[in-house]
Amino acid sequence: MNREIYLFWRNLSFSLLMILTAAEAFPLGMGIPGFSTDLLWSGSWETEGSLINRGDIRLRAHKPALVLRAQAVDKRPAPPWEGFEEGNTAFAGGLYHETTGSRLLWGILDEGGLPARVRNIWSRGMPFVEQHQPSISDLYTEPSSTKEPGAYLYLGSPWLGPMLRGASLELRGFGSVLLDAENQALFDGGLETRFFGENILRLEGFYTRNHLAAKTPSAWFSETPPLPDREQDLIAGNLFFNGTLFAAAADLAWSETFAYGKGLYGNLGLRLGDRPWRLSLAADGASSRYVDRAGSAGGSGFRSAGKLEWRGKRSSLARVSSTLRAAALGERFYRSSTLFYYHFPTFSAGRGAARRKTPLFYPSRVSMTLSREASNPQKILDTLEALGAFRLWELNFTFQGGVSGLSIIETANQDDPFPLPIPSTEYPYTYDSAKFGAEASYTLKPFQFGIKAGCTLKREKEAKWDGALSAAIRGKWGRFTAKLSSPAFPEEWELGLSWRVQL
C-alpha cells in the first residue's frame, strides 16, 4: 500500500510541478507582444472510483489567430487501493485557426455534427432544428479506455462576399478528413450561404468505409444473426435552412453492410416563429438493416416530437413538449414522454435604475413529466415526475419526486387491443416505485455549500436512502470542490474531490 500512496502523491506533485513550471516559463506568452498562454488543470478523485487528471496548454498567436494546443488525460483506479498502476494516459495536440475554425488534430476525437447524429441514433435526443449543427470535431476531454486516437484535418474558408449586389449574399466552404487508428477515413464537406441578414442555407455530405469485426449474438434468440468480418459503406447528407420566422433541417443516411444488407435512416426538424412564440417539430426513423456510424445495428424505429415555447422578459420561459416512439413508421406508438416546464423571470443585479431589488422569496422553476412504457400491451408502466425550485433569502432549494404505477392486463381488450401511448386511467394501477429528493445550497463568496438527501421506494422492498454534503471555493483561478456522499445511507460512504485551475 505504501507504494500506491507514493505513486499517488508522485503523480499529483508532478502534475502541479508541470503547471507551475509552464506558468513560469510562458507568462503572458513569454513576454512577446501578440502572444498569450492559457493553462488548465482539472481532475477528480473518488475513494470508490478513479483518479482523473487532465492538463491543457494553449499558446495563442493573436495576429494570425493561431492556437497551438497540447493535452494529456490520465485515469487510473483511486489510490491507495491496489491496481493504481493499471491506468491509461492519452496525449493529444492540435493547431487551430480561430477565424475560420480550421484545425489539424491528433488524439482521441469527439465527433460533432452530421457524423455524430447518425451514430447511436436511438440514444440521442430528438433532432430538432437547433440540434443540426455543422460537422466539426475537437479533442476529447474525458478519459476513454475504448476509443483509439486518430488524425483529423478540417479546413474552412472565411465568408466570401457579398456575391450579388443588393442581396447581401455571402458564401463559405468547408471540408474535413478523419483518419482513425485503423487507417479508415471519413470524408466530409459542404457549402454554407448567408443572405438577406441572418438567413443561412447549408448543404453537407459525408462518406466513410469501415471494416467491422465479426459479431456473435449474445443470446439464443437474437434478431441479429452471427456475422463475419465485413465491410460497411455509409453515406449521409444534410440540408439546413435557418431564418427569423422559419427554419428546417433534414438528415438522410444510407448504409450497406456485407452479409447484412442495406438500410436507411432519416430525420426532419421544423421551427415556426421565434419570439415570443416558437413551435418546433421533429421526427426520425430507421429501417431494420441500418448500421450506424459506430458499426452497430439499433433496429427499426420511428419517433416524433413537438415542442411549444413562450419566451418572455428576464429569461422567463414556458414550454410544453411531447415525444412518441413506435417500432416502425405506421406502427402503433407504445412509448411517450410529455414535459410541462416554466422558468420564472430572473432578478439581475443591473446598474442604476435597471437594478432590481431581489425579494426575500421567489420561485425559480417548476416542471412535471408524464411518461408511459407500453411495449408490452399487457404490462404498462406509467410514471409521474415533478420538480420545484425556489430561492429563500440566500438559500436555493430544489425538491423533486416521482411515482410509477404498473397496469397488468391479463386479457387484452378486443375492441381496443392496444393501450393509448400516453398515460391514462383506462386500466387500474398497481404501485410500483417512488423516488423523492431535496437539495439546498448556500453561497457566501467565494464559498458555496450544499446538502442533498433522497429516498427510493420499491414495491415489496425496503426504502433506500442516499445523501451528500459538499463544499466548494470558486474564483477567477478556477474552483475546488469536496463532496462526502452516501449512496446507501448509513452503511456506505464515499469521499470525492474535484478541481479546475486556470492560469
Side-chain angles (χ1 to χ4, degrees), residues 63-309:
K63 190 67 174 179
L66 292 176
V67 177
L68 182 63
R69 179 184 179 187
Q71 176 182 270
V73 180
D74 180 86
K75 179 181 180 181
R76 56 193 64 247
W81 286 263
E82 295 183 0
F84 179 69
E85 295 180 347
E86 300 175 1
N88 65 82
T89 305
F91 297 94
L95 179 64
Y96 299 77
H97 184 243
E98 294 184 311
T99 305
T100 61
S102 301
R103 59 196 62 185
L104 176 62
L105 308 175
W106 183 87
I108 298 178
L109 300 171
D110 184 14
E111 290 185 343
L114 181 58
R117 292 195 299 273
V118 296
R119 175 198 293 266
N120 301 325
I121 53 177
W122 301 129
S123 61
R124 301 182 66 85
M126 290 302 300
F128 290 104
V129 171
E130 55 267 25
Q131 304 298 327
H132 288 74
Q133 299 298 320
S135 297
I136 194 167
S137 298
D138 206 347
L139 298 180
Y140 198 63
T141 58
E142 300 293 333
S144 175
S145 59
T146 58
K147 296 184 177 181
E148 297 292 335
Y152 178 73
L153 174 64
Y154 174 89
L155 296 175
S157 71
W159 286 102
L160 305 174
M163 307 299 292
L164 297 176
R165 180 175 299 178
S168 300
L169 178 64
E170 296 178 298
L171 178 68
R172 67 179 292 265
F174 57 91
S176 65
V177 178
L178 189 155
L179 194 65
D180 64 16
E182 298 180 359
N183 293 324
Q184 299 177 140
L186 181 149
F187 303 93
D188 179 274
L191 293 173
E192 190 172 20
T193 63
R194 186 167 59 192
F195 56 95
F196 296 116
E198 297 300 323
N199 296 305
I200 294 177
L201 178 64
R202 182 174 67 244
L203 180 63
E204 181 185 354
F206 90 88
Y207 167 77
T208 185
R209 183 178 180 86
N210 296 323
H211 178 78
L212 305 180
K215 184 174 182 179
T216 302
S218 57
W220 284 98
F221 302 99
S222 175
E223 294 182 0
T224 305
L227 297 172
D229 287 351
R230 59 209 185 280
E231 301 294 328
Q232 177 215 17
D233 289 292
L234 181 61
I235 302 174
N238 166 255
L239 181 62
F240 176 89
F241 171 77
N242 185 35
T244 304
L245 299 178
F246 173 77
D251 296 329
L252 183 63
W254 174 83
S255 69
E256 182 176 13
T257 309
F258 176 75
Y260 190 67
K262 303 175 183 179
L264 280 173
Y265 167 75
N267 64 53
L268 175 66
L270 298 173
R271 174 180 61 79
L272 300 174
D274 188 20
R275 284 183 177 272
W277 291 96
R278 173 186 293 186
L279 174 64
S280 300
L281 302 173
D284 66 344
S287 62
S288 60
R289 296 294 177 174
Y290 172 74
V291 178
D292 65 14
R293 170 77 178 94
S296 61
S300 62
F302 177 76
R303 298 183 300 177
S304 64
K307 181 170 58 175
L308 180 63
E309 297 175 309

Side-chain angles (χ1 to χ4, degrees), residues 346-349 355-362 391 393-394:
T346 59
F347 291 86
S348 59
R355 182 182 180 90
R356 298 180 181 274
K357 184 179 180 180
T358 303
L360 181 64
F361 168 84
Y362 67 91
R391 182 182 178 91
W393 187 50
E394 296 294 334

